[in-house]
Amino acid sequence: MNSSVLLHLMVMLVQLWPYSPSTQSSSAQNTVQSFTAVRRVKRGWLWEPLFATEEQITPNPMYIGQLKSDLDKQDGKLKYNLTGEGAGNIFIINEDNGTIYAIQKLDREKKPFYILTAQAINRSTRLPVEPPLEFIIRVRDVNDNEPQFLDGPYVATVPEMSPEGTSVTQVTATDADDPSYGNSARLLYSLIQGQPYFSVEPKTGVIRMASHMDRETKDQYLVIIQAKDMVGQPGALSATATVTINLSDINDNPPKFQHRLYYMSVSEEAPVGTTVGKVFAEDSDTGDNAAMDYFIEADSSDTFSIITNNETQEGIVLLKKRVDYESQRRYSIEVKAVNRYIDERFLKEGPFEDTTIVKINVKDADEPPVFTLENYVMEIAEGAESGSLVGVVTARDPDDDNSPIRYSIVRSTLLKRLFSINEHNGAIITTEPLDREIASWHNITVTATETRNPEKISEANVYVQVLDVNDNAPEFPKDYETFVCENAFSGQLIQNISAVDRDDSAGGHHFNFSLAQEDANSSYFTVKDNQDNTAGIFTGKSGFRRQEQFFFYLPILIQDNGTPPLTSTNTLTVTVCDCDTEVNTFYCRYGAFMYSLGLSTEALVAVLACILIFLVFFLAIVTIRQQQKKKPPFSEKMEEFRENIVSYDDEGGGEEDTEAFDISALRTRTVVRMHKPRKKVASEIHSLYRQSLQVGPDSAIFRQFISEKLEEANTDPSVPPYDSLQTYAFEGTGSLAGSLSSLGSTTSDMDQSYDYLADWGPHFKQLAGMYSSHRTVGD
């Protein structure tokens, strides 16, 4: 390669390492400058890339290397140029001999390499001798960065009593130096504080348990970890981190009672549920591990119970059953506290429970009387005479059996009227006979009062059942309306009957039906007992005549199955009816009603005829009124009786009717009398009426009309005075209703329909034909 330029890089070689760029920055330390060159050929150039070690800049520039070309005869004809990253401000070149210097500090953590371009130029021609050559200067790392714990400070939690070697947490430090060059970034962890409880793995920084630790002894530890680079060799840089390690609780402690013996007391007057006292067992654990339940051992639990207060972890002893000082004055119970949640790993260390003894003394109190029973149930037959014994209640003074007791009945005044009690012995007696059908049970409240201390009172309930006695005969459940047709045939069923009994029957009621003895031989009707508490009434003959007998009264005997059996006679009224093929029950009932009033058939026909004549007369009047309404409301001779016309077209508006029209115009004396032709009064009234619906009482139209009519009346001597014609065409401003005047009405009695007469029955058939809208011409 005779035409190539030989680029010699004079190298002071100290270290040679593979390079990996890094962007982290740090302060440089004073080191010996070194670089190495690797020979390569490119485009006719022979060049060697440079490796420079970062160092602290001295006042003098640092020598990097020298460029020399085989075309350079050292006669000053060639000139060397350097361009690219850092050229001129970081790197400079001696353009005469090609020596390269660094004039600023090189920091690998800021910039790991630089790309530059070298040129050799002829000074005379200012042309390059060779094409430009690009090369790289790499900055080699030195240990100028100390480790750092970026995630600190650390907090970790580990269960107490964890076995040795249990992992607690891991700490990690970082080093900005190049991990691929030397040992600058190789860290080593050690424990400065925390022995002998914890240990740390040198390479990973994992902290582990070194011994068993009890949270109840100490629940928090402060551990200091150190990280050194250079694998801990002399001159290495280091950093420390603080780790706070908390011990979490586990259930490794059983509950312990504060006392081995507790003393409590309770009054014999205390009600069930009263708090007798509290016990407490301590547990060194916390949270759920300290939760416990209390129990009562032995056979005393039927009198007392215990519950757990989950907030205070106390055991509350409660009274489960009333205590009696006279019966038992002292109780001894055994209370046990047991952990609610047990860790099976510690079962071998013993049961997680504890027991204590609780002694309870019963305090004496003046108690009210005590009944032998809380509720008494007594029986008495109904109808028992006054003074009959119902039963006896008994109470005693629990403090003194010889203390006298006084009894009384309270609350209901009715019960006091029906019952009384002997205040000395508690015997309850009746004051009048009892009726089960009125009330089958009576609830009585009886009190017992100490004679020596009237404030001590107790109560008991007495339930008195009134036993049934067959004292009510059976009877019809209702009043039957029974009818038989004149053309009825023998053996025809005309009525089903039943019975009711107010008495009670244990086996159910059973009634027997029959005709009374005095009517048993009658051939008109028979009774058939259906043996199911019902019976049928049948005709005993064919044909009945209303003229001979309108009513039949059947005495029905009904007997119950009581002891002794009771019988009653119930009268069944049978009405004879004039029936066609379809029995008209309504007409039959109406005829029976008239007959009960003492009217015969002829009288009934006369009454119906009078009613018919009245209806014809009424309809005739209606027809005449309809024809009159067809005529015009005013005839041609209206002027002759105008003084008698009173037209009402106002329904009233209260006090504001005074504004209906202004009558002052009638009293004006300065009216000019001018003769004008008279108009039709009817048409004028209609016109005024329509106008008055749109204007008020002070309308000019209304006043003008009145003035004109007054003037005409004054100038015409042949007509009555006009002031006798009273016209009301204004309703007043106080009413919201429309006018009720009949002048504008178009309805008449001719619009009324009489079709409903066809629904009144055959007796009104002729009248319906006369006035029904569907009548024919022949009608």
Side-chain angles (χ1 to χ4, degrees):
M1 297 180 62
N2 297 329
S3 62
S4 64
V5 176
L6 181 61
L7 182 62
H8 296 282
L9 299 177
M10 307 301 297
V11 180
M12 297 177 64
L13 182 60
V14 177
Q15 292 179 337
L16 177 63
W17 292 92
Y19 177 75
S20 176
S22 173
T23 59
Q24 300 180 359
S25 62
S26 62
S27 60
Q29 297 180 352
N30 292 331
T31 59
V32 178
Q33 177 193 4
S34 63
F35 65 92
T36 182
V38 178
R39 184 183 300 271
R40 63 179 65 181
V41 178
K42 182 177 180 182
R43 295 183 303 170
W45 282 86
L46 180 62
W47 65 284
E48 296 169 348
L50 303 177
F51 294 88
T53 303
E54 58 180 342
E55 67 169 329
Q56 180 68 38
I57 293 296
T58 59
N60 299 322
M62 292 187 299
Y63 174 77
I64 299 298
Q66 183 179 9
L67 297 177
K68 186 176 181 182
S69 173
D70 56 354
L71 298 179
D72 186 3
K73 304 302 183 180
Q74 297 183 357
D75 53 3
K77 293 182 178 181
L78 293 181
K79 176 183 178 181
Y80 296 96
N81 287 340
L82 189 64
T83 60
E85 295 179 339
N89 56 356
I90 297 177
F91 302 102
I92 59 175
I93 187 171
N94 189 321
E95 63 180 12
D96 296 326
N97 56 21
T99 304
I100 299 175
Y101 297 93
I103 59 176
Q104 290 188 13
K105 168 191 170 183
L106 300 178
D107 190 350
R108 188 198 65 85
E109 283 70 40
K110 290 183 178 180
K111 189 170 181 61
F113 62 91
Y114 296 86
I115 301 175
L116 297 100
T117 302
Q119 278 189 325
I121 301 175
N122 189 298
R123 291 180 183 271
S124 300
T125 62
R126 298 182 181 277
L127 296 176
V129 179
E130 293 289 345
L133 177 64
E134 185 179 86
F135 62 96
I136 297 175
I137 298 178
R138 301 185 184 274
V139 181
R140 183 164 292 158
D141 183 50
V142 296
N143 189 20
D144 58 346
N145 291 279
E146 62 184 10
Q148 292 184 354
F149 289 95
L150 301 180
D151 298 329
Y154 296 87
V155 178
T157 302
V158 62
E160 64 172 329
M161 306 302 293
S162 296
E164 296 182 9
T166 300
S167 176
V168 178
T169 187
Q170 182 179 14
V171 296
T172 302
T174 58
D175 196 316
D177 293 325
D178 188 0
S180 63
Y181 179 78
N183 295 325
S184 298
R186 297 181 62 185
L187 305 179
L188 190 67
Y189 300 94
S190 61
L191 191 66
I192 296 179
Q193 178 178 315
Q195 300 91 349
Y197 308 107
F198 302 95
S199 63
V200 62
E201 293 183 356
K203 294 183 179 180
T204 62
V206 175
I207 303 174
R208 299 185 181 276
M209 302 285 288
S211 64
H212 290 80
M213 287 177 287
D214 189 1
R215 187 199 64 84
E216 288 70 36
T217 302
K218 186 177 181 181
D219 60 354
Q220 189 178 81
Y221 293 84
L222 195 63
V223 177
I224 299 178
I225 304 297
Q226 183 185 63
K228 280 188 175 184
D229 58 11
M230 299 293 293
V231 201
Q233 296 177 2
L237 303 178
S238 64
T240 59
T242 301
V243 182
T244 302
I245 300 177
N246 298 310
L247 297 182
S248 60
D249 184 60
I250 61 174
N251 191 10
D252 59 341
N253 293 280
K256 295 291 182 181
F257 279 104
Q258 294 178 330
H259 308 285
R260 288 298 154 189
L261 185 62
Y262 289 85
Y263 291 97
M264 301 178 184
S265 62
V266 61
S267 173
E268 62 177 343
E269 288 185 321
V272 173
T274 299
T275 299
V276 179
K278 299 178 182 179
V279 296
F280 179 68
E282 292 181 332
D283 194 320
S284 301
D285 298 321
T286 61
D288 291 342
N289 295 322
M292 64 189 73
D293 295 314
Y294 293 89
F295 303 94
I296 294 180
E297 297 288 330
D299 57 354
S300 59
S301 60
D302 60 341
T303 306
F304 301 94
S305 63
I306 190 169
I307 60 175
T308 303
N309 187 329
N310 292 324
E311 295 181 359
T312 63
Q313 294 299 314
E314 292 177 314
I316 303 174
V317 181
L318 303 175
L319 185 62
K320 185 178 180 182
K321 187 174 64 175
R322 293 289 294 269
V323 293
D324 184 12
Y325 176 82
E326 288 71 26
S327 300
Q328 187 174 350
R329 303 182 180 182
R330 187 175 294 104
Y331 293 87
S332 179
I333 60 176
E334 183 178 358
V335 177
K336 178 186 292 186
V338 181
N339 270 141
R340 188 175 302 168
Y341 308 103
I342 299 177
D343 195 333
E344 297 181 355
R345 295 177 299 173
F346 302 98
L347 286 177
K348 60 182 180 179
E349 298 183 6
F352 282 75
E353 60 185 38
D354 195 19
T355 59
T356 188
I357 302 298
V358 179
K359 293 187 178 295
I360 303 174
N361 294 324
V362 180
K363 297 187 296 184
D364 187 23
D366 188 5
E367 302 173 86
V370 178
F371 282 95
T372 55
L373 295 175
E374 293 184 1
N375 299 297
Y376 293 85
V377 179
M378 301 177 182
E379 297 177 349
I380 186 172
E382 66 172 327
E385 61 183 11
S386 299
S388 299
L389 178 64
V390 180
V392 179
V393 296
T394 305
R396 68 176 184 86
D397 186 351
D399 300 312
D400 185 3
D401 291 337
N402 297 323
S403 176
I405 304 297
R406 186 176 67 253
Y407 301 93
S408 64
I409 295 177
V410 295
R411 296 185 181 175
S412 176
T413 57
L414 174 62
L415 295 178
K416 286 185 177 181
R417 182 173 61 83
L418 296 176
F419 302 93
S420 65
I421 189 171
N422 189 311
E423 66 176 7
H424 301 293
N425 58 19
I428 300 175
I429 60 176
T430 61
T431 57
E432 62 181 57
L434 303 178
D435 189 353
R436 189 201 66 84
E437 284 69 42
I438 297 178
S440 59
W441 284 90
H442 296 279
N443 300 334
I444 306 174
T445 301
V446 178
T447 62
T449 306
E450 289 185 13
T451 304
R452 299 173 182 174
N453 187 1
E455 295 182 356
K456 299 300 178 181
I457 303 174
S458 59
E459 294 182 351
N461 294 321
V462 179
Y463 303 98
V464 179
Q465 182 181 14
V466 182
L467 302 178
D468 184 47
V469 174
N470 192 23
D471 57 348
N472 291 278
E475 58 186 0
F476 282 155
K478 62 180 181 178
D479 293 332
Y480 291 101
E481 294 183 0
T482 306
F483 305 94
V484 62
C485 294
E486 288 182 311
N487 57 356
F489 55 87
S490 178
Q492 180 178 347
L493 176 66
I494 61 173
Q495 183 69 58
N496 281 316
I497 60 175
S498 61
V500 294
D501 195 332
R502 297 176 61 192
D503 293 322
D504 192 13
S505 178
H509 290 290
H510 181 70
F511 304 113
N512 294 318
F513 300 88
S514 63
L515 280 174
Q517 185 65 31
E518 63 271 15
D519 204 63
N521 298 325
S522 174
S523 60
Y524 291 101
F525 301 96
T526 60
V527 177
K528 180 183 178 182
D529 194 334
N530 298 326
Q531 300 299 317
D532 59 355
N533 292 338
T534 64
I537 309 300
F538 295 85
T539 57
K541 53 171 287 186
S542 299
F544 293 85
R545 292 181 61 82
R546 300 172 68 243
Q547 291 77 6
E548 296 178 358
Q549 188 172 354
F550 200 87
F551 294 107
F552 289 90
Y553 300 98
L554 302 182
I556 307 297
L557 295 180
I558 308 175
Q559 186 182 54
D560 61 17
N561 60 335
T563 305
L566 295 180
T567 303
S568 66
T569 301
N570 298 265
T571 302
L572 181 68
T573 302
V574 181
T575 305
V576 180
C577 298
D578 182 12
C579 306
D580 50 11
T581 55
E582 296 181 359
V583 178
N584 192 333
T585 305
F586 170 77
Y587 176 68
C588 189
R589 291 177 179 173
Y590 182 72
F593 171 73
M594 298 301 294
Y595 184 81
S596 65
L597 297 178
L599 298 178
S600 62
T601 304
E602 293 75 9
L604 178 61
V605 173
V607 171
L608 294 178
C610 292
I611 295 175
L612 182 61
I613 294 173
F614 174 77
L615 291 177
V616 172
F617 179 74
F618 172 75
L619 294 177
I621 294 176
V622 171
T623 303
I624 294 174
R625 291 185 61 186
Q626 290 178 347
Q627 293 177 355
Q628 291 178 349
K629 287 185 177 182
K630 293 180 180 179
K631 298 180 180 180
F634 298 98
S635 63
E636 296 178 354
K637 298 182 179 181
M638 175 61 67
E639 299 290 338
E640 298 180 359
F641 53 88
R642 181 181 58 186
E643 65 273 15
N644 296 324
I645 295 178
V646 178
S647 176
Y648 295 93
D649 194 19
D650 178 46
E651 73 173 346
E655 295 179 356
E656 297 185 6
D657 275 347
T658 57
E659 301 177 4
F661 81 65
D662 188 6
I663 198 171
S664 60
L666 301 177
R667 300 177 180 178
T668 305
R669 297 181 179 180
T670 59
V671 178
V672 179
R673 296 180 177 268
M674 297 177 62
H675 179 73
K676 294 183 180 180
R678 297 294 299 270
K679 299 180 180 179
K680 292 294 183 178
V681 177
S683 60
E684 293 170 352
I685 292 176
H686 281 293
S687 175
L688 177 62
Y689 165 72
R690 288 190 298 270
Q691 295 174 0
S692 66
L693 296 179
Q694 303 175 356
V695 300
D698 296 330
S699 171
I701 298 176
F702 193 88
R703 292 196 299 271
Q704 180 181 359
F705 174 80
I706 295 296
S707 300
E708 291 178 357
K709 296 307 171 187
L710 183 61
E711 182 181 356
E712 291 176 5
N714 292 335
T715 58
D716 190 354
S718 62
V719 298
Y722 185 74
D723 53 3
S724 64
L725 178 61
Q726 302 177 22
T727 302
Y728 298 93
F730 182 71
E731 183 179 48
T733 61
S735 174
L736 298 178
S739 174
L740 299 181
S741 172
S742 61
L743 295 178
S745 175
T746 59
T747 61
S748 67
D749 292 341
M750 297 181 64
D751 299 331
Q752 185 173 358
S753 174
Y754 298 96
D755 294 342
Y756 58 86
L757 295 176
D759 299 331
W760 286 15
H763 301 288
F764 299 92
K765 181 178 179 181
Q766 184 176 359
L767 189 63
M770 295 174 58
Y771 292 94
S772 175
S773 61
H774 302 289
R775 65 181 183 272
T776 62
V777 177
D779 294 337

